[in-house]
């Protein structure tokens, strides 16, 4: 039912082209075949009718150049067969083992009920061979991405158990968790390296990856509609700040909302470890995620003994706090200069910047308190130091998100702002982004 909308959307068109010309997976599967038994289950043809690989041929890395030199008639995974690929039972065991490596999750796994529940939901499921092959290749070629999916799956099962999801909803959530980043596996891993700065085209591929993942899943009868849609929507946010469609509120499905927060939580665990920042990070994002799911995960980490994080350098932290105060002082002045026409033209930008300012104020760091903290010679309470640092990290992340959204909007829709107004908006946004760079 979403296919017509996807076909007409720019990001959808990009996702369709990515699937039609998926060099990343062709590279990965041919290299995988160097160490595993992978063969052609049928003749593999190009779109122009050239036979590229004969049925029964053992695949290997030497076929890569030949295959990527042509547009394939169909996705290559549909023309391959492999032995010893992942099945549902093995995925459950791998997810359980991966979650055990996370200290704050380990106590939850002492109860055999969780893994039993996951086995009941997924153990009897037949994963379509093309998808099983994709997961098996991801495990070898993109191990961190695969491990991330396993952690998301375990968190999703905790959420399903504590949130009283129905069996069908829990099954869809488990499947969506495992497959949610298939689309990201189509992106060049060098682009996703932490030190890499996206250019405009790379940003577009990142925005499109949930659609790519959805397109991989939605035609398989074994895949519930809710699972495929959750993959499509797992980067949408309740406040409308997500992607690819900027959905808001309950236009985002229930399973999708659950997947969104477990994926976010898994990313926090991977980035920061299981320390006290997790609970604060979740709280700072409470307006972006499902309220009930948020409460469950906050309670989950309240139930565990999270160690304190390593505190940042005090002088550097104070400098950043002063800068963020000045950035939002300037925002209040800038906002007052907008005409009604300006407000209409960039309403999305004004709303997002106001929300960032509100995040600062709701966290208790209004200008009076910032001035008070600046006057202190040292932090007597390490909890305050941690709160400030986490807040600044969150604002840095949101500034980058806002910059990417502004660039995308201008590219698609152009800008109707007067040049003078456009210049001061750009200047403010550049100073906000330079704040982010100074923290790295």
């Amino acid at each position: 039912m979403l296919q017509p909308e996807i076909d007409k959307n720019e990001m959808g068109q990009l996702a369709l082209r990515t699937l039609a010309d998926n060099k990343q997976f062709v590279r990965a599967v041919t290299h995988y075949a160097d160490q595993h038994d992978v063969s052609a289950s049928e003749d593999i043809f190009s779109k122009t009718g050239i036979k590229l690989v004969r049925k029964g041929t053992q695949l290997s890395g030497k076929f890569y150049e030949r295959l990527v030199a042509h547009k394939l008639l169909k996705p290559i995974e549909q023309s391959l067969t492999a032995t010893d690929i992942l099945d549902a039972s093995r995925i459950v065991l791998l997810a359980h083992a991966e979650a055990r490596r996370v200290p704050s999750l380990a106590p939850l796994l002492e109860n055999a009920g969780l893994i039993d529940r996951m086995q009941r939901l997924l153990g009897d499921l037949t994963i379509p061979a093309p998808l099983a092959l994709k997961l098996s290749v991801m495990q070898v070629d993109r191990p961190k991405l695969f491990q991330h999916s396993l952690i998301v799956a375990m968190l999703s099962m905790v959420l399903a158990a504590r949130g009283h999801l129905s069996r069908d909803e829990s099954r869809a959530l488990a499947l969506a968790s495992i497959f949610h980043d298939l689309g990201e596996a189509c992106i060049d891993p060098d682009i996703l390296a932490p030190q890499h700065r996206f250019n405009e085209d790379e940003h577009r591929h990142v925005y499109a990856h949930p659609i790519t993942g959805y397109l991989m899943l939605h035609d398989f009868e074994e895949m519930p509609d809710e699972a495929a849609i959750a993959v499509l929507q797992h980067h949408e946010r309740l406040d409308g700040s997500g992607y690819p469609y900027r959905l808001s509120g309950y236009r985002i499905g229930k399973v999708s909302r659950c997947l969104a927060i477990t994926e976010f939580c898994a990313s926090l665990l991977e980035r920061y470890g299981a320390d006290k920042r997790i609970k604060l990070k979740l709280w700072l994002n409470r307006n972006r995620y499902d309220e009930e799911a948020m409460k469950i995960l906050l309670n989950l980490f309240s139930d565990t003994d999270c160690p304190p994080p390593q505190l940042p350098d005090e002088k550097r932290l104070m400098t950043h706090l002063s800068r963020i105060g000045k950035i939002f002082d300037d925002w209040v002045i800038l906002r007052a200069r907008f005409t009604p026409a300006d407000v209409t033209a960039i309403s999305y930008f004004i709303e997002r910047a106001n929300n960032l300012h509100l995040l600062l104020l709701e966290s208790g760091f209004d200008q009076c308190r910032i001035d008070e903290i600046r006057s202190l010679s040292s932090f007597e309470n390490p909890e305050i130091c941690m709160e400030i640092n986490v807040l600044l990290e969150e604002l840095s992340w949101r500034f980058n998100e806002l910059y990417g959204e502004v660039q995308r909007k201008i590219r698609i829709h152009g800008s109707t702002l007067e040049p003078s107004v456009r210049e001061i908006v750009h200047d403010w946004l550049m100073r906000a982004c330079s704040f982010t760079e100074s923290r790295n």
Side-chain angles (χ1 to χ4, degrees), residues 103-253:
S104 60
L105 295 183
L108 298 170
L109 306 178
E110 297 301 326
N111 185 345
L114 180 62
I115 192 168
D116 287 346
R117 178 183 177 86
M118 200 167 179
Q119 285 283 16
R120 288 197 301 272
L121 287 170
L122 297 178
D124 62 346
L125 178 70
T126 300
I127 296 178
L131 295 181
L133 177 59
K134 279 186 171 290
L135 282 179
S136 300
V137 172
M138 183 194 290
Q139 183 185 21
V140 173
D141 185 64
R142 304 286 291 276
K144 288 187 177 179
L145 191 61
F146 181 74
Q147 290 160 8
H148 168 74
S149 297
L150 297 178
I151 294 295
V152 174
M154 292 308 296
L155 284 170
S156 294
M157 286 301 91
V158 173
L159 184 57
R162 297 193 177 191
H164 308 295
L165 269 66
S166 70
R167 176 179 173 81
D168 287 345
E169 290 169 337
S170 298
R171 188 181 179 97
L173 178 59
L175 283 166
S177 301
I178 292 166
F179 291 110
H180 77 277
D181 267 343
L182 277 186
E184 186 171 319
C186 296
I187 301 173
D188 183 344
D190 291 339
I191 292 175
L192 301 172
Q195 68 276 12
H196 181 78
R197 290 186 65 84
F198 296 139
N199 61 34
E200 182 180 319
D201 186 61
E202 291 164 351
H203 260 298
R204 292 171 64 236
H205 279 86
V206 172
Y207 281 128
H209 87 264
I211 307 175
T212 308
Y214 167 80
L215 291 171
M216 291 181 187
L217 300 178
H218 81 289
D219 280 338
F220 288 101
E221 292 182 0
E222 299 91 337
M223 194 63 53
D225 287 344
E226 281 190 297
I229 292 171
V231 170
L232 177 66
Q233 297 180 346
H234 76 276
H235 279 294
E236 302 288 359
R237 301 293 179 255
L238 292 186
D239 64 355
S241 64
Y243 62 87
Y245 298 120
R246 297 195 76 222
L247 301 179
S248 61
Y250 289 88
R251 292 179 64 199
I252 306 169

Side-chain angles (χ1 to χ4, degrees), residues 345-358:
I346 55 168
S347 59
Y348 70 95
F349 171 75
I350 294 172
E351 179 185 1
R352 296 280 294 279
N354 282 341
N355 286 342
L356 292 180
H357 193 198
L358 186 62

Side-chain angles (χ1 to χ4, degrees), residues 248-267:
S248 61
Y250 289 88
R251 292 179 64 199
I252 306 169
K254 182 178 181 180
V255 175
S256 306
R257 299 196 304 272
C258 291
L259 177 58
I261 193 168
T262 55
E263 198 275 338
F264 173 65
C265 192
S267 297

Side-chain angles (χ1 to χ4, degrees), residues 336-396:
R337 296 178 59 180
F338 292 141
T339 66
D342 295 334
V343 171
T344 299
I346 55 168
S347 59
Y348 70 95
F349 171 75
I350 294 172
E351 179 185 1
R352 296 280 294 279
N354 282 341
N355 286 342
L356 292 180
H357 193 198
L358 186 62
L359 180 66
L360 183 72
L361 299 178
E362 287 183 341
S363 301
F365 293 100
D366 57 24
Q367 193 58 50
C368 292
R369 191 174 184 211
I370 289 176
D371 290 340
E372 177 187 347
I373 293 171
R374 286 172 182 160
S375 69
L376 299 177
S377 58
S378 64
F379 292 120
E380 297 179 359
N381 187 344
E383 291 287 333
I384 294 177
C385 184
M386 181 194 72
E387 288 177 15
I388 294 171
N389 192 51
V390 172
L391 176 62
L392 295 178
E393 285 176 346
E394 183 63 26
L395 287 169
S396 295

